[in-house]
Amino acid sequence: MEKPYEPSLTIEETPVERVWLRKSIETNDKTSAFRKFQIRRLHEIFIEKFFFLNGLFAILILLGIFSLLFFKGFPAIRELGLKSFFGSSVWNPNAYATPQYGILSLITSTLMVTFGALVIAVPLGVACAAFISQVASSRVREILKPTVEILAGIPSVVVGFLGIILVNPMIAKLFGISNGLNALNGSILLAIMSLPTIISLSEDALRAVPNSYKEASLALGGNDWQTLIRVLVPSALSGIIAAIMLGMGRAIGETMTVLMATGNAPALTFNFLDAIQTMTATIAIELGEVPYNTTHYYALFVIGLVLFVMTFVVNLVSDIILQKYQQVER
Amino acid sequence: MKKRWTERFGFLMLYLAGILVLFFLGVILFDIFIKGVGVLSWKFLTQPPRMGMTEGGIFPAIMGTFMVSIITVIFAVPLGMFAAIYLNEYAQPGKITRLIRLAIRNLSGVPSIVYGLFGVVLFVQMFRFGTSVLSAGLTLGLLTLPWTITACEEALKTVPKSYREGALALGATKWHAIRTNVLPYAISGMMTGVILGLSRAAGETAPILFTGAAFFLPHLPKSLFDQFMALPYHLYILATQHHAIEKVRPIAYGTALVLLGLILLLNLSAIWVRYRYRQKMRG
């Protein structure tokens, strides 16, 4: 295996340029050779700076998203105070007399479906990752890996559609309720949406465990199962946790599936058979209806800000775990 | 003896997990295909919806998705490619590089609906593009940017160091070496990543909800500043917002099938490009 390319320190002069430079020094000629060198140098520096600006763009967008959400959400916070957002669970911005902007129920709804999704997706995803990386024959792996990739590519709106058409009647029948559009439905769909992330990243983590660990365990008389459970999974644990966090981030931010399948009734509930309304769904439903720059409009950006901060923290934590883990491995 | 049974049972569970994941994908594809294929016809693909979307085809939605995707590619691909070139070829390890990488990783985790909010404020309101093809395309472009950068960087990493050194030893400047000895070998890898990113963008609904997608339009958008219909949004409308939901179910299935078909086609072509590329590198 060839080592990955590592950029060298700053732009050095090339051999040709070194000849030019020497010539210009020897002949004390500052016109032709030196000029040629300078032009090439400027050209190179200009190109490097240009690419650098493109790299900076990523930081700019991230800051831009945060600051726009903040500045659009701020008028609502100033007008209503933080307490009316985080101290109440009644979200009723369209009430004629006193509109209420409590987002607690929206947050709990989001956390609820995310939790439900993880309960399904974590055991299933980690087991599938273990299966792909340790058990499956190469032919089975050739089938399963593209399956996971294609599953990752299925649009959320299609998954939501199937939630309405397939999962909805199933839940209704199973629990004897009239309508299967509820938190359970959303959890199942979100589990499917976050499975590919969890599987492929956990698999990477399991694969990164040095072979010697496995061999040592087998040599000590451990069977394959013990090796997997007591050696491989614990060694890959930080990677697996990072994978789960990323899956969780995806579930928190998923919009279309929960919008279509959870019934959209803002209510503070912890019953998975109740209809709920997540933060993402609230934005999706209401932003299209409110006039720009009203309190209600700004309030939706407050939700967006909370959502952004939540996913940002989740991603950051998973990032830190991954970095630590890579350092330990080295 | 007990150990043996635990082992067998454990591995059985792992097998089941694998099969279950396969089963999920199977159900999704099978159900959409079986119920959607009956609606498919030349007319369905080439005619606009009629009679309040209960009849006719989905032509404007297909074209809308197509147009937005083009804007997305035009916007995101150069930016993503340049950023990747910087990160892999020029960047020194240090604070700024770390920050850029952190930003990219976090951008890829920002919820798509938040990109939608950002698009509304930046493109629709501040830049005054209105709800339009352009706004939606740019919003989707931002969404795909982190994926594009990562994919392009991966492609650049596969080019051996010796290729660059060969050019540098012959007196080429850094950019010349990259242009002639790196990019030509990385380009198909980049293409693969770009196509995969595009296939995800084409299926996104949340970012275009408020930046330009329209409920129904009798004609195609005439300029970049017109609203448009899009396949995923059309499916959402047919599945939840239509006044005669049961009646339009077949059309919804047909739309879902066309959308899935489009995305699978993009995925397959990405796999094909990757395959060709590997053969070229070997030969």
Side-chain angles (χ1 to χ4, degrees), chain A residues 40 44 47 54 165 297 319, chain B residues 79 105 125 171 173 175 253:
Chain A
R40 247 167 85 127
E44 282 295 297
I47 285 172
N54 279 288
I165 291 204
Y297 176 80
D319 213 53
Chain B
L79 259 177
R105 278 198 298 271
Q125 288 184 278
T173 58
W175 167 233
Y253 263 114

Side-chain angles (χ1 to χ4, degrees), chain B:
Chain B
M1 236 11 223
K2 195 179 155 243
K3 258 189 206 165
R4 232 26 216 264
W5 282 110
T6 329
E7 184 175 20
R8 283 217 181 139
F9 181 73
F11 280 130
L12 184 71
M13 282 293 143
L14 298 190
Y15 263 103
L16 283 181
I19 290 170
L20 201 57
V21 171
L22 209 62
F23 173 77
F24 282 151
L25 182 70
V27 165
I28 294 174
L29 297 184
F30 185 77
D31 189 68
I32 299 276
F33 183 77
I34 290 295
K35 295 183 190 154
V37 78
V39 198
L40 274 197
S41 67
W42 185 243
K43 271 188 178 166
F44 185 69
L45 294 176
T46 55
Q47 284 188 353
R50 279 179 292 119
M51 317 286 283
M53 293 199 274
T54 55
E55 277 174 42
I58 53 170
F59 182 64
I62 296 176
M63 285 310 287
T65 291
F66 188 67
M67 290 169 75
V68 169
S69 301
I70 289 179
I71 307 258
T72 305
V73 167
I74 292 177
F75 176 63
V77 170
L79 259 177
M81 232 166 92
F82 295 155
I85 291 177
Y86 173 72
L87 284 174
N88 197 54
E89 308 290 332
Y90 287 99
Q92 311 294 329
K95 234 181 200 156
I96 294 200
T97 309
R98 270 226 310 280
L99 260 181
I100 293 176
R101 289 188 188 281
L102 187 73
I104 292 169
R105 278 198 298 271
N106 273 299
L107 275 180
S108 64
V110 171
S112 53
I113 187 94
V114 171
Y115 277 103
L117 285 175
F118 184 62
V120 168
V121 179
L122 191 71
F123 301 127
V124 177
Q125 288 184 278
M126 277 166 74
F127 290 173
R128 296 181 189 282
F129 294 156
T131 47
S132 63
V133 179
L134 187 61
S135 298
L138 293 177
T139 309
L140 284 179
L142 288 181
L143 180 82
T144 52
L145 191 62
W147 309 333
T148 316
I149 297 177
T150 317
C152 289
E153 215 193 327
E154 289 299 317
L156 286 170
K157 272 189 190 142
T158 62
V159 181
K161 197 178 172 185
S162 55
Y163 285 33
R164 300 171 177 85
E165 285 164 348
L168 292 175
L170 289 173
T173 58
K174 192 157 190 169
W175 167 233
H176 201 113
I178 293 170
R179 196 156 40 100
T180 55
N181 276 26
V182 177
L183 289 184
Y185 300 95
I187 204 81
S188 36
M190 291 179 168
M191 282 251 301
T192 312
V194 166
I195 298 172
L196 285 178
L198 181 64
S199 82
R200 281 210 255 169
E204 277 291 350
T205 319
I208 60 172
L209 277 176
F210 337 105
T211 50
F215 194 87
F216 173 73
L217 289 172
H219 53 79
L220 294 177
K222 290 193 182 65
S223 80
L224 285 180
F225 298 100
D226 279 353
Q227 288 196 318
F228 62 98
M229 290 176 75
L231 279 174
Y233 186 59
H234 194 61
L235 175 57
Y236 167 64
I237 296 291
L238 291 178
T240 61
Q241 309 283 303
H242 201 274
H243 57 86
I245 283 187
E246 289 307 323
K247 208 175 161 194
V248 296
R249 273 285 134 83
I251 301 185
Y253 263 114
T255 311
L257 181 62
V258 172
L259 179 61
L260 263 186
L262 186 79
I263 280 161
L264 288 184
L265 205 69
L266 282 170
N267 273 301
L268 280 181
S269 58
I271 291 171
W272 184 74
V273 169
R274 190 163 57 189
Y275 173 73
R276 285 295 300 270
Y277 168 69
R278 280 197 186 142
Q279 282 202 325
K280 202 176 85 186
M281 288 301 264
R282 230 177 263 149

Side-chain angles (χ1 to χ4, degrees), chain A residues 181-232:
Chain A
L181 295 177
N182 51 29
L184 178 63
N185 195 335
S187 299
I188 294 173
L189 300 185
L190 282 186
I192 295 177
M193 295 299 295
S194 54
L195 258 178
T197 311
I198 296 180
I199 293 175
S200 60
L201 291 172
S202 304
E203 197 214 328
D204 288 346
L206 281 169
R207 203 175 284 279
V209 178
N211 242 342
S212 52
Y213 287 28
K214 189 176 172 182
E215 284 153 8
S217 162
L218 292 175
L220 287 171
N223 61 29
D224 285 338
W225 177 250
Q226 288 168 323
T227 306
L228 179 66
I229 295 299
R230 306 225 184 121
V231 178
L232 293 176

